[in-house]
């Protein structure tokens, strides 16, 4: 059974930064791509970023390009999301998830392409 545990969320002012972490259990972490999604109140869960099994390929939603950076440390079974230049519209619960494969040229961007999810961490950005 795979467990994903996010941490690092909080309340920050606009323009600030946060680093989210997602620790995964199990010995197969390095075999799978990982992703971050977010869900704001009253909205559907949306794709934010994805990273291939090796960390060599990343992809982002247009709304976060240039501000968010996804990375992973396979030795620590952890994936990160560095969030800079935060905006009030970034307020949401952020979820990490494990993809159903290791790599996809166009990136795993659909929720249906992820089989395991964390419980989420709240990010709130004040203006």
């Amino acid at each position: 059974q795979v467990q994903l545990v996010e941490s690092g969320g909080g309340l920050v002012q606009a323009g600030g930064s946060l680093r989210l972490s997602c620790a995964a259990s199990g010995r197969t972490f390095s075999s799978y791509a990982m992703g971050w999604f977010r869900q704001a109140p009253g909205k559907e869960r949306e794709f934010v970023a994805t990273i291939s099994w090796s960390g060599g390929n990343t992809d982002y939603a247009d709304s976060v390009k240039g501000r968010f950076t996804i990375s992973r440390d396979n030795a620590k079974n952890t994936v990160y999301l560095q969030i800079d230049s935060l905006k009030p519209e970034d307020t949401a619960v952020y979820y990490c998830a494990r993809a159903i494969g290791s790599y996809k040229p166009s990136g795993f961007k659909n929720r249906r392409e992820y089989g395991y999810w964390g419980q989420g961490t709240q990010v709130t950005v004040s203006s």
Side-chain angles (χ1 to χ4, degrees):
Q1 185 71 11
V2 175
Q3 288 188 322
L4 303 173
V5 180
E6 302 96 334
S7 61
L11 172 64
V12 296
Q13 289 188 331
S17 297
L18 281 174
R19 189 193 196 199
L20 307 184
S21 299
C22 172
S25 65
R27 293 179 289 179
T28 60
F29 176 78
S30 62
S31 299
Y32 292 90
M34 297 293 293
W36 286 94
F37 287 72
R38 66 185 181 185
Q39 187 167 18
K43 295 188 177 181
E44 291 190 355
R45 192 171 300 188
E46 64 174 1
F47 167 75
V48 172
T50 185
I51 187 166
S52 62
W53 68 278
S54 66
N57 297 91
T58 59
D59 208 346
Y60 299 89
D62 288 341
S63 60
V64 307
K65 280 181 182 177
R67 300 189 298 120
F68 288 21
T69 304
I70 188 172
S71 61
R72 66 189 297 162
D73 185 337
N74 286 342
K76 295 182 178 180
N77 277 18
T78 302
V79 61
Y80 305 97
L81 186 68
Q82 178 68 39
I83 310 176
D84 298 319
S85 303
L86 276 158
K87 303 176 181 180
E89 51 263 43
D90 294 320
T91 295
V93 177
Y94 284 71
Y95 298 89
C96 76
R98 196 187 84 171
I100 59 176
S102 60
Y103 168 72
K104 180 179 176 182
S106 58
F108 295 101
K109 300 178 183 177
N110 192 302
R111 288 181 298 172
R112 298 182 185 86
E113 296 178 307
Y114 289 83
Y116 293 94
W117 294 82
Q119 83 290 346
T121 186
Q122 176 71 47
V123 172
T124 303
V125 185
S126 62
S127 57

